[in-house]
């Protein structure tokens, strides 16, 4: 039983078709990896638009994959962009968010026998 994700919504949407689930998992991992890097860069540069765009792109996917705590962190990150907050206000949230997403990615890679996270 997975510890860091829940695919019940994915199973429902895909009618449990293994090839579709596998494709969605791969897409989630690839897009999440890119988004995490770009959110980090955006926070470092205080590029609120970049952070907003990448965090928003992950929001529904995190919910779909059952990463509820990471989804909540995404909403905090999006709020930070709209208030144009200070970096120190979001650093810890991003650290927690990144950790939660990476744990899910690692577990998905293991469970779906994909190459490990680099």
């Amino acid at each position: 039983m997975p510890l860091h994700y829940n695919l019940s919504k994915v199973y429902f949407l895909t009618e449990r078709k293994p090839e579709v689930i596998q494709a969605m998992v791969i897409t989630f991992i690839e897009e999440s990896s890119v988004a995490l890097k770009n959110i980090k860069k955006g926070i470092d540069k205080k590029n609120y638009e970049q952070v907003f765009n990448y965090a928003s792109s992950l929001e529904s996917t995190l919910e779909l994959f059952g990463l509820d705590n990471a989804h909540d962190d995404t909403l905090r990150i999006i709020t930070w962009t709209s208030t144009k907050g200070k970096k120190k206000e979001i650093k810890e949230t991003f650290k927690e968010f990144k950790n939660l997403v990476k744990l899910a990615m690692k577990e998905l890679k293991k469970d779906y026998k994909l190459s490990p996270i680099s």
Side-chain angles (χ1 to χ4, degrees), residues 95-109:
K95 184 178 174 182
E96 177 185 327
F97 169 72
K98 180 179 167 184
N99 184 52
L100 292 169
V101 174
K102 288 223 174 214
L103 286 170
M105 289 167 55
K106 183 177 181 180
E107 189 174 13
L108 282 162
K109 283 186 173 197

Side-chain angles (χ1 to χ4, degrees), residues 85-101:
K86 297 180 181 188
K87 284 195 278 186
K88 68 180 182 178
E89 297 170 345
I90 204 64
K91 286 281 190 180
E92 196 58 40
T93 299
F94 177 73
K95 184 178 174 182
E96 177 185 327
F97 169 72
K98 180 179 167 184
N99 184 52
L100 292 169
V101 174

Side-chain angles (χ1 to χ4, degrees), residues 10-28:
V10 172
Y11 293 152
F12 177 77
L13 286 174
T14 64
E15 298 176 354
R16 292 189 173 264
K17 293 178 183 168
E19 65 279 356
V20 179
I21 294 167
Q22 179 98 4
M24 289 181 75
V25 167
I26 291 168
T27 301
F28 168 75

Side-chain angles (χ1 to χ4, degrees), residues 52-63:
F52 176 83
N53 289 336
Y54 281 98
S56 295
S57 73
L58 280 182
E59 182 187 357
S60 60
T61 307
L62 295 171
E63 186 175 11

Side-chain angles (χ1 to χ4, degrees), residues 46 48-49 79-86 89:
K46 289 183 84 172
Y48 298 106
E49 185 177 349
T79 299
W80 175 81
T81 66
S82 66
T83 61
K84 303 223 185 298
K86 297 180 181 188
E89 297 170 345

